[in-house]
Amino acid sequence: MGDFRERVNMCCQRTFSCFRDPEVDTPPAPQKRHIEVITNDFTKAPTRQLPPIPAEKPGYVYVALYDYTARTEDDLSFNAGDKLEPLNRGDDSVDWWFARAITGISANKTGYIPANYVALLESLDAEPWYFPETKRSDAEKMLMSQENNNGAFLIRNCESQAGELSLSVLDKGKVKHYKIRKLDNGGYFVSRTRNFPTLRELVEHYSTYDDGLCVRLAEPCKKTVAPETHGLSYNTVDHWEIPRSSVKLLRKLGAGQFGEVHEGVWNDTTSVAVKTLKAGTMDPKDFLQEAQMMKKLRHPKLIQLYAVCTLEEPIYIITELMSHGSLLEHLQKDRGASLKMSDQIELGSQVAAGMAYLELQNYIHRDLAARNVLVGDNNVCKVADFGLARVFQMDSEDENVYEAKEGTKFPVKWTAPEAIHENKFTIKSDVWSFGILLYEIVTFGQMPYPTMTNFQVVQQLPKGYRMPCPLNCPKYLYDIMCECWKDLPADRPTFETLQWKLEDFFDMDVSSYDDASRY
Ligand code: AMP
């Protein structure tokens, strides 16, 4: 046993010290990891110069889709429905536009606006009922929320058939879904008996007559939850080392292995989460390199890194704030009181969606577990702390981490065997951890391998031992877990596959759609 432990220790000496081993991992489209050199001049020049207003106006008018309250003196406040004219829009990759408000609370003022809060006037994107990137389950949650009345509706991209659209309608407390089919000549129909040249005309028609739908379309679904802006403001997109004085800590939300997490406010305007790192938990240079990469990763199911304060200890990591804390705490608190199996599967599919994005970006999480997923309102959950495991100098007292070498610990029960024994951390070792995370979800946050020690787990896994199917866990879900725990990393599914398998769990096929011509 002593020998074995020594061998494990040897294997783990470089744990968390590599980014991605090209020999181990065969990603579909390897991307070069690009790390920009960071200077710390940012705090000296925290405000970017405003670009000049071009003499010739581009002539585009945009309409605000959500309310926005200015966070800095360079921003414009506006309300949904206000008209805005971008004056210096840059290319499509620019997240903040310099604009003039034409109507509304800031009429005739100029300033920066988040580009993802506006859409070209009269375009499909500007339609209040158009929710293209909304998943079927999210559409159901949104339509069933208190703000909506009978007949509330939205049109979204269909998940099961790329390029197709679906109409989701609230009818007597239930949400019904209809396929919107496209004609070869560009028109649309819900029932073959009636075609429409545009979606707008289709909506107008079914807002006047139910004509085969379960109910006449009433108000579009309310757009209550504004998307995250890309970065805190125009100024912090590049200058993201922000002055510590601009961040106020309001209350402690929790404490983790490496420091504390506080609810805070940035610039006296914007709620944020602030992770304060214990002195010595990481080398600021390593962290800054990793953080350069992390801040480029943007996805609705990933916690967005907004800014950092690294010039003094403790280092601050400023991210979006999630109202319900970690998924682990959320599951343990609930214990089935409000979370049903459908919610649990949905939580898993959201994590898979965030991880599928990391997979596509050729990035490895390295510490995927329910404690590193955060929950917001309406069971929205997002993957947090991706990449941080690489830069932490592990020295915690947490019993969930296994000491492989002095100063090197990692969470054994979540870690794939090849990562434990050969230091092979890949997206496939993340898939293994995802299988454990599914176990945590389905058991409401139970410790994996509840009767075994870390060392027993390390010993038993190579002999083929796997956790048995938890009580009340559907076989389909347990089969997915077992796929994640295949011996050979290459035999484990991709996160993309895991995402659709979980999304398909509840009858996602075409037959689950209502048929308008039936009525
Ligand atoms: P960590 O140090 O990341 O393990 O975080 C410790 C605890 O702080 C978590 O278990 C959460 O309850 C809370 N927490 C961490 N990050 C956030 C966040 N972005 N929003 C809200 N709560 C958070």
Side-chain angles (χ1 to χ4, degrees):
M1 189 168 118
D3 275 2
F4 176 73
R5 194 181 271 271
E6 211 171 276
R7 200 152 46 82
V8 172
N9 288 352
M10 293 276 292
C11 290
C12 295
Q13 283 182 8
R14 287 180 300 125
T15 300
F16 296 130
S17 65
C18 72
F19 176 70
R20 193 173 251 249
D21 183 343
E23 288 188 12
V24 175
D25 196 23
T26 48
Q31 287 177 4
K32 228 173 163 187
R33 188 166 176 242
H34 177 69
I35 298 170
E36 289 161 23
V37 178
I38 314 159
T39 66
N40 282 333
D41 290 348
F42 302 147
T43 44
K44 290 185 197 134
T47 320
R48 267 154 83 164
Q49 266 209 321
L50 302 184
I53 299 174
E56 217 173 293
K57 292 174 189 163
Y60 292 125
V61 176
Y62 280 70
V63 61
L65 304 175
Y66 309 93
D67 298 347
Y68 176 76
T69 307
R71 297 169 179 174
T72 72
E73 54 196 25
D74 295 337
D75 299 1
L76 271 188
S77 292
F78 53 81
N79 287 326
D82 290 355
K83 297 201 175 78
L84 299 134
E85 176 187 37
L87 299 172
N88 188 347
R89 204 154 51 106
D91 57 49
D92 282 343
S93 66
V94 175
D95 302 319
W96 293 81
W97 294 345
F98 190 62
R100 179 176 75 88
I102 300 171
T103 62
I105 44 174
S106 297
N108 283 321
K109 289 189 189 144
T110 56
Y112 283 97
I113 59 168
N116 58 337
Y117 275 50
V118 297
L120 193 60
L121 187 68
E122 294 185 357
S123 67
L124 183 57
D125 286 326
E127 293 293 355
W129 37 260
Y130 189 56
F131 290 59
E133 301 306 327
T134 306
K135 296 193 324 167
R136 176 188 168 114
S137 53
D138 288 338
E140 290 180 357
K141 265 194 264 173
M142 286 157 66
L143 285 165
M144 306 250 272
S145 71
Q146 283 178 345
E147 293 89 17
N148 290 305
N149 296 319
N150 207 41
F153 71 101
L154 59 85
I155 292 180
R156 59 183 172 83
N157 291 338
C158 173
E159 284 169 281
S160 51
Q161 280 167 301
E164 299 288 317
L165 294 161
S166 303
L167 167 68
S168 303
V169 196
L170 179 66
D171 178 32
K172 300 182 204 79
K174 281 211 167 120
V175 176
K176 306 230 165 102
H177 304 274
Y178 296 88
K179 280 248 167 313
I180 299 181
R181 303 199 184 269
K182 281 187 194 153
L183 292 163
D184 291 343
N185 65 7
Y188 300 88
F189 68 89
V190 178
S191 158
R192 279 187 194 282
T193 54
R194 203 177 282 278
N195 300 334
F196 303 92
T198 63
L199 280 178
R200 192 173 298 153
E201 283 158 282
L202 182 149
V203 167
E204 274 167 17
H205 175 79
Y206 288 105
S207 302
T208 318
Y209 316 97
D210 57 35
D211 200 10
L213 293 190
C214 54
V215 61
R216 191 165 58 81
L217 302 183
E219 293 285 307
C221 179
K222 298 274 184 304
K223 282 190 174 161
T224 43
V225 185
E228 281 301 308
T229 57
H230 292 165
L232 283 168
S233 72
Y234 175 73
N235 286 323
T236 61
V237 171
D238 295 335
H239 302 262
W240 67 306
E241 169 80 48
I242 57 170
R244 197 168 287 253
S245 57
S246 67
V247 184
K248 282 197 192 104
L249 305 188
L250 299 181
R251 74 185 172 104
K252 191 166 140 183
L253 293 171
Q257 274 173 263
F258 307 106
E260 293 179 348
V261 179
H262 296 257
E263 179 179 342
V265 61
W266 172 75
N267 220 21
D268 289 326
T269 55
T270 312
S271 293
V272 289
V274 184
K275 192 170 261 205
T276 63
L277 297 179
K278 278 184 210 155
T281 38
M282 63 168 73
D283 179 341
K285 256 200 285 151
D286 284 352
F287 168 66
L288 276 172
Q289 275 207 336
E290 195 62 38
Q292 275 291 25
M293 187 69 198
M294 283 153 55
K295 76 164 184 160
K296 289 186 188 139
L297 299 169
R298 285 197 197 139
H299 187 272
K301 301 298 173 197
L302 291 187
I303 289 288
Q304 194 186 155
L305 175 64
Y306 280 147
V308 293
C309 302
T310 61
L311 302 187
E312 295 158 41
E313 301 245 48
I315 289 177
Y316 281 4
I317 301 177
I318 295 139
T319 66
E320 63 181 288
L321 181 69
M322 298 292 278
S323 51
H324 295 280
S326 85
L327 175 60
L328 183 62
E329 294 155 346
H330 187 63
L331 291 163
Q332 289 175 343
K333 247 187 251 158
D334 189 272
R335 292 228 152 269
S338 71
L339 291 174
K340 303 281 164 280
M341 184 52 70
S342 55
D343 302 310
Q344 289 165 287
I345 305 275
E346 222 252 311
L347 288 167
S349 82
Q350 293 185 60
V351 176
M355 289 305 299
Y357 171 82
L358 288 187
E359 179 175 75
L360 207 65
Q361 301 301 313
N362 214 11
Y363 197 85
I364 308 170
H365 189 296
R366 291 167 170 265
D367 194 8
L368 184 61
R371 62 184 171 275
N372 287 332
V373 173
L374 294 166
V375 184
D377 291 335
N378 294 327
N379 282 334
V380 166
C381 71
K382 304 192 183 194
V383 178
D385 288 347
F386 35 94
L388 278 188
R390 200 178 80 87
V391 282
F392 279 133
Q393 290 154 11
M394 305 264 177
D395 64 349
S396 91
E397 295 306 315
D398 190 326
E399 59 179 18
N400 294 336
V401 296
Y402 169 77
E403 185 161 12
K405 170 185 172 279
E406 204 179 86
T408 309
K409 294 187 177 189
F410 62 94
V412 172
K413 290 186 174 180
W414 283 259
T415 307
E418 74 279 5
I420 295 178
H421 294 277
E422 298 159 63
N423 191 30
K424 287 180 179 170
F425 280 87
T426 65
I427 196 70
K428 294 297 185 192
S429 52
D430 281 346
V431 170
W432 178 287
S433 311
F434 180 76
I436 306 287
L437 189 149
L438 286 180
Y439 175 92
E440 293 184 274
I441 290 178
V442 84
T443 60
F444 294 101
Q446 211 183 74
M447 170 63 79
Y449 311 92
T451 58
M452 293 167 77
T453 65
N454 284 335
F455 193 65
Q456 283 169 330
V457 172
V458 176
Q459 277 184 312
Q460 292 304 316
L461 288 179
K463 295 180 190 162
Y465 176 80
R466 297 294 184 268
M467 274 189 281
C469 184
L471 205 66
N472 300 327
C473 173
K475 182 170 178 310
Y476 181 85
L477 189 59
Y478 181 62
D479 287 347
I480 294 178
M481 291 180 203
C482 291
E483 296 253 297
C484 296
W485 302 330
K486 289 255 173 85
D487 258 333
L488 281 181
D491 291 346
R492 298 173 202 153
T494 61
F495 278 108
E496 191 198 1
T497 303
L498 288 163
Q499 184 188 348
W500 71 249
K501 278 197 170 188
L502 291 165
E503 283 172 356
D504 276 9
F505 198 85
F506 289 101
D507 208 7
M508 288 288 295
D509 67 348
V510 180
S511 61
S512 72
Y513 279 82
D514 277 275
D515 181 0
S517 46
R518 209 177 53 191
Y519 293 86

